[in-house]
Amino acid sequence: MRHPSEVLRPEIDSFGVAAIDERFSEMNDSYNEKRYGDSVNYARSMIESTCKWIYKSLNDKEIDKDRYLGLNSLIKGALSSLSSELSVKEQFQTVFSKLTDLVTEIGKLRNLTSVSHGSAVRAQPITSVEARFVIFAAEDITMTLLDLFFNKTHSLKKNAVHSVINPTDMKKIREDDTFITYDQKDDSPFETSTEFMVFKNNNVIYQVTVTLPKWVNPSSDQEFMSEHMSDYMEDDSIEKGKKGIGGYIYYSEKKDFLYEVQFESNVIYITSI
């Protein structure tokens, strides 16, 4: 192994979703306490909670309001809301179809355990090996969904608006209850400086302020201004309209992000809307 210290995925609880973290914790505690049937229950419940949370976060409504949805329908609903993050949608539909089948089998396995339903005969207890397989599969499914959700709701472009800041070589210059502001100086001869205002609770960039040399004229140096502006938005962003004097609205269809871009003399403000 060339990179033994590299982690291929974050822990589930690193996303900070209480409903999912609760089931993740109970799943692991049940397994370690040799309550393998309970651990399988919590594995399925963790996937259900993930699907419901993602769908509500993206669509602002409950996926199963006033109706019952099986696990297949829950996962299909969550994945449909995340489809813009798939590079080859048709091929991934096949992958997710098989994924859904796996989830369904997890549900069937849960139904065979003694903790799920009453039975007229003694139930065959699930073994530690079987429970561990279910747990690992449920973790993979949950992490895939959370990773796709994170990619959809955040920019993966380095230090762009909507991305999680990488403050290397930056200096913290301000902090209040809501925001932290970092400053980055440009070593190029253009003497450009950039400030990044980030949300304090999650380090996601809310606004980027680019200060260009004083000799820059927004009306005559539009291409120069545009190049600096585009560094901090999604690559597919296009102008959608004007806002006031020197203000413009840009939109990224892939990410469904809106930006307000304001020009004031030699300063550019790129702000999340």
Side-chain angles (χ1 to χ4, degrees):
M1 184 182 293
R2 292 189 298 275
H3 307 284
S5 63
E6 291 292 328
V7 178
L8 295 178
R9 71 180 190 193
E11 290 293 333
I12 287 173
D13 54 9
S14 68
F15 286 87
V17 184
I20 300 172
D21 290 351
E22 179 184 77
R23 287 152 181 81
F24 176 66
S25 177
E26 291 289 352
M27 177 185 72
N28 284 287
D29 288 345
S30 297
Y31 180 85
N32 288 313
E33 293 166 6
K34 299 183 179 181
R35 294 185 286 111
Y36 303 127
D38 284 348
S39 68
V40 171
N41 274 347
Y42 283 117
R44 176 188 168 104
S45 182
M46 180 175 66
I47 299 172
E48 292 173 339
S49 295
T50 303
C51 293
K52 292 178 180 180
W53 179 80
I54 286 174
Y55 189 90
K56 184 176 181 180
S57 297
L58 296 177
N59 299 282
D60 198 28
K61 61 181 179 181
E62 304 284 351
I63 189 173
D64 57 347
K65 184 178 181 180
D66 301 325
R67 58 177 177 164
Y68 170 79
L69 291 179
L71 191 53
N72 291 60
S73 298
L74 288 175
I75 199 167
K76 287 179 180 177
L79 289 171
S80 68
S81 300
L82 298 166
S83 62
S84 65
E85 295 307 309
L86 304 178
S87 58
V88 280
K89 297 181 183 180
E90 292 183 4
Q91 288 83 349
F92 265 91
Q93 285 300 103
T94 301
V95 174
F96 284 136
S97 176
K98 295 183 183 298
L99 179 68
T100 304
D101 290 341
L102 176 60
V103 174
T104 301
E105 291 305 313
I106 290 175
K108 291 179 181 178
L109 184 58
R110 180 192 72 156
N111 293 338
L112 296 176
T113 65
S114 59
V115 296
S116 298
H117 300 285
S119 175
V121 297
R122 174 177 289 188
Q124 181 69 30
I126 189 171
T127 68
S128 62
V129 173
E130 293 166 331
R132 191 164 61 245
F133 170 78
V134 174
I135 286 172
F136 290 166
E139 287 180 344
D140 285 340
I141 292 167
T142 298
M143 278 307 311
T144 298
L145 293 171
L146 289 175
D147 270 342
L148 288 171
F149 176 82
F150 181 89
N151 291 352
K152 183 176 179 66
T153 56
H154 294 75
S155 174
L156 302 183
K157 191 172 180 178
K158 183 179 179 181
N159 288 339
V161 172
H162 288 290
S163 71
V164 177
I165 194 168
N166 178 357
T168 304
D169 299 325
M170 295 184 188
K171 179 182 179 181
K172 185 190 294 185
I173 57 174
R174 286 189 297 275
E175 181 175 353
D176 57 31
D177 293 339
T178 305
F179 295 106
I180 299 175
T181 303
Y182 295 90
D183 179 68
Q184 184 178 50
K185 299 296 183 184
D186 189 349
D187 294 330
S188 73
F190 293 119
E191 299 179 352
T192 300
S193 66
T194 309
E195 290 186 6
F196 300 85
M197 182 183 291
V198 307
F199 289 106
K200 190 173 182 177
N201 63 335
N202 57 18
N203 289 320
V204 172
I205 298 173
Y206 168 70
Q207 183 183 74
V208 176
T209 304
V210 183
T211 303
L212 300 172
K214 292 182 178 180
W215 51 260
V216 173
N217 186 327
S219 59
S220 59
D221 298 312
Q222 292 181 358
E223 184 175 350
F224 185 75
M225 301 282 282
S226 179
E227 287 177 358
H228 283 79
M229 174 186 71
S230 62
D231 287 341
Y232 304 103
M233 299 190 296
E234 292 298 309
D235 293 337
D236 70 326
S237 298
I238 59 173
E239 184 183 327
K240 300 296 288 186
K242 293 187 176 182
K243 184 176 181 180
I245 300 175
Y248 300 85
I249 302 297
Y250 280 77
Y251 178 68
S252 164
E253 183 176 6
K254 177 176 174 56
K255 289 290 190 179
D256 193 26
F257 289 164
L258 280 171
Y259 310 87
E260 179 181 342
V261 178
Q262 187 75 33
F263 296 97
E264 294 182 8
S265 185
N266 62 319
V267 181
I268 310 171
Y269 299 91
I270 305 105
T271 309
S272 166
I273 299 180

